[in-house]
């Protein structure tokens, strides 16, 4: 028989994402509602290793649903990669009597949770908190919708200038390994090209299109590029295009960290609330070492060991849509 979870810890780990606070709030309040004790673990796995852990009450999560970032703070923790670090973490959890964990983070954080739950008898449940949406087993991740909407708002503004001056803008969005922010924001802003890490880019084709558009005097062009594309981001693409088409007025805009922050959208608050609620239910029902995702608007549970192996696949059709709608 699986042991009963009575005291749970919640932490946010890895890159921050808007909506993490809504997730923490849901975990804390659902836990308390069900008679569990809830502990906040500060700065992700670092708080576990360094015993930065405190008891949370309902008021601890008041007035945070609308705030970006994470009240528990987050970090990348080198010590947790080592068996000694994880042993310290286990000892600290045991000291507080914590016998269940909710980890809000990306695939790296899930890998940490998976390793930890293999070694120690502390069940872990993950919530996908990452702006990159690069986790298989869920249609959306907490923070993605907000990040994309921030990118769309910025790109719309850039389009005004691109139009006024007949310029080519190359806009770099976040995504070192994943092109979802680029693909979604590119389609939503009518970009002519979207360059992403998951696909090879035919740069000759782009240059040919730009030359052809120059002839047709269609001079407003937006190219959205994920930071991890094969050329190494917007500056590099600009250099290549400038060298080949010197008449083009090329400008680069790197959106950077504005995409991480800000008040979460309604959608991110909703999924974070639903997922947080579900995570506590999982721990109470003995559905251990899974992460809670959403597929077709229903909760969906994927074992952590499967989650760390797979990535969401980019849709060929969506790439085709970019081309057809921009022609
Ligand atoms: P994200 O969760 O956003 O993908 P990271 O990849 O930086 O972020 O992972 C967050 C943290 O998870 C790491 O700093 C580390 O503490 C822990 N972690 C990641 N992978 C492992 C692993 N294989 N073993 C143990 N801990 C890990």
């Amino acid at each position: 028989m699986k042991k009963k979870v009575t005291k749970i810890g919640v932490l946010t780990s890895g890159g921050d994402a808007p909506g993490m606070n809504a997730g923490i709030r849901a975990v804390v309040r659902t836990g308390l509602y069900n008679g569990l004790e809830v502990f906040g673990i500060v700065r992700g796995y670092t708080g576990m290793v360094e015993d930065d852990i405190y008891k949370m009450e309902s008021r601890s999560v008041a007035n945070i649903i609308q705030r970006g970032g994470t009240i528990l703070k987050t970090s990348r923790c080198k010590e947790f990669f080592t068996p000694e670090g994880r042993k310290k973490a286990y000892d600290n959890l045991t000291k507080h009597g914590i016998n269940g964990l909710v980890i809000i983070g990306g695939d790296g954080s899930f890998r940490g949770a998976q390793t930890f739950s293999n070694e120690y008898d502390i069940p872990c449940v993950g919530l996908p908190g990452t702006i990159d949406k690069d986790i298989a087993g869920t249609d959306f991740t907490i923070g993605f919708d907000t990040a994309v909407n921030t990118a769309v708002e910025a790109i719309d503004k850039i389009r005004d200038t691109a139009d006024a001056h007949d310029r080519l803008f190359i806009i770099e969005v976040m995504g070192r390994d994943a092109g979802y922010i680029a693909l979604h924001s590119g389609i939503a802003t009518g970009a002519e090209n979207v360059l992403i890490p998951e696909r090879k880019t035919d740069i000759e084709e782009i240059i040919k299109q730009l030359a052809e558009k120059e002839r047709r005097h269609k001079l407003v062009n937006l190219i959205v590029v994920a930071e991890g594309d094969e050329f190494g981001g917007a500056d590099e693409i600009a250099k290549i295009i400038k060298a080949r088409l010197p008449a083009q007025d090329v400008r680069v805009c790197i959106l950077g960290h504005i995409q991480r922050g800000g008040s979460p959208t309604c959608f991110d608050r909703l999924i974070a609330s639903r997922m947080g609620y579900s995570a506590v239910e999982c721990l109470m029902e003995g559905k251990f070492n899974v992460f809670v995702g959403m597929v077709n608007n229903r909760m969906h549970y994927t074992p952590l060991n499967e989650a760390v192996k797979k990535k969401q696949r980019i849709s060929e059709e969506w790439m085709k849509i970019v081309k057809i709608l921009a022609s």
Side-chain angles (χ1 to χ4, degrees):
M1 209 180 85
K2 282 189 171 150
K3 67 175 189 176
K4 197 164 177 287
V5 172
T6 51
K7 295 188 183 187
I8 61 172
V10 55
L11 60 134
T12 48
S13 167
D16 67 312
M20 280 182 159
N21 279 328
I24 297 168
R25 175 178 177 271
V27 170
V28 171
R29 295 217 165 141
T30 310
L32 295 173
Y33 174 83
N34 286 291
L36 307 179
E37 278 185 53
V38 186
F39 293 82
I41 300 170
V42 182
R43 284 174 294 125
Y45 294 121
T46 308
M48 265 164 66
V49 174
E50 295 178 358
D51 193 19
D52 199 351
I53 297 172
Y54 69 98
K55 193 141 183 265
M56 297 185 90
E57 307 298 343
S58 184
R59 299 328 299 160
S60 317
V61 290
N63 198 25
I64 64 166
I65 195 167
Q66 77 284 15
R67 282 165 56 189
T70 154
I71 59 156
L72 288 176
K73 302 194 178 287
T74 183
S75 72
R76 298 198 156 91
C77 175
K78 279 207 185 107
E79 256 195 290
F80 203 70
F81 282 98
T82 66
E84 297 76 29
R86 293 192 294 274
K87 169 81 171 66
K88 272 195 214 165
Y90 174 74
D91 290 343
N92 287 328
L93 293 180
T94 311
K95 198 167 82 189
H96 293 278
I98 296 171
N99 51 15
L101 279 180
V102 178
I103 297 103
I104 310 176
D107 61 341
S109 302
F110 288 0
R111 214 164 289 130
Q114 163 68 11
T115 309
F116 187 68
S117 63
N118 278 344
E119 292 171 344
Y120 298 102
D121 186 23
I122 295 200
C124 297
V125 173
L127 294 197
T130 163
I131 62 167
D132 289 330
K133 199 172 92 78
D134 56 348
I135 298 176
T138 187
D139 292 341
F140 290 97
T141 56
I142 298 165
F144 174 75
D145 187 62
T146 308
V148 167
N149 275 292
T150 302
V152 165
E153 200 184 325
I155 297 169
D156 282 347
K157 288 177 181 165
I158 291 166
R159 181 183 269 285
D160 290 346
T161 295
D163 183 47
H165 289 272
D166 288 335
R167 268 179 194 154
L168 161 63
F169 263 92
I170 304 174
I171 300 144
E172 184 178 303
V173 296
M174 278 188 165
R176 233 172 281 143
D177 306 302
Y180 293 100
I181 296 180
L183 185 54
H184 286 234
S185 65
I187 292 177
T189 55
E192 274 77 11
N193 291 98
V194 172
L195 279 54
I196 56 173
E198 295 91 336
R199 292 282 180 280
K200 282 229 155 294
T201 300
D202 188 346
I203 194 79
E204 289 306 320
E205 178 63 28
I206 293 178
I207 288 166
K208 213 170 94 192
Q209 281 169 15
L210 289 170
E212 167 59 21
K213 283 175 184 163
E214 236 176 44
R215 274 192 293 279
R216 280 163 42 201
H217 297 288
K218 181 181 186 292
L219 296 167
V220 183
N221 281 292
L222 296 180
I223 296 178
V224 176
V225 48
E227 60 185 327
D229 87 301
E230 63 174 296
F231 297 101
D235 282 322
E236 298 310 309
I237 311 279
K239 274 187 212 154
I240 297 170
I241 293 176
K242 263 262 156 260
R244 298 284 299 277
L245 300 169
Q248 285 269 342
D249 192 2
V250 186
R251 297 298 155 100
V252 167
C253 184
I254 297 172
L255 298 187
H257 278 84
I258 60 161
Q259 295 159 91
R260 270 197 192 283
S263 185
T265 58
C266 170
F267 185 81
D268 276 334
R269 296 179 201 193
L270 259 175
I271 63 168
S273 300
R274 292 178 64 192
M275 288 173 177
Y277 166 86
S278 264
V280 176
E281 292 223 307
C282 281
L283 285 174
M284 290 192 316
E285 288 165 7
K287 209 180 279 166
F288 295 161
N289 306 328
V290 295
F291 92 85
V292 180
M294 254 178 40
V295 174
N296 296 332
N297 204 24
R298 288 245 166 93
M299 304 328 286
H300 185 88
Y301 310 95
T302 307
L304 284 174
N305 58 359
E306 278 177 34
V308 299
K309 281 190 216 136
K310 285 190 208 150
K311 291 251 177 215
Q312 247 189 66
R313 287 241 297 270
I314 289 276
S315 152
E316 275 314 321
E317 196 169 32
W318 284 48
M319 293 302 286
K320 198 171 154 195
I321 287 171
V322 175
K323 273 199 168 161
I324 292 173
L325 300 193
S327 55

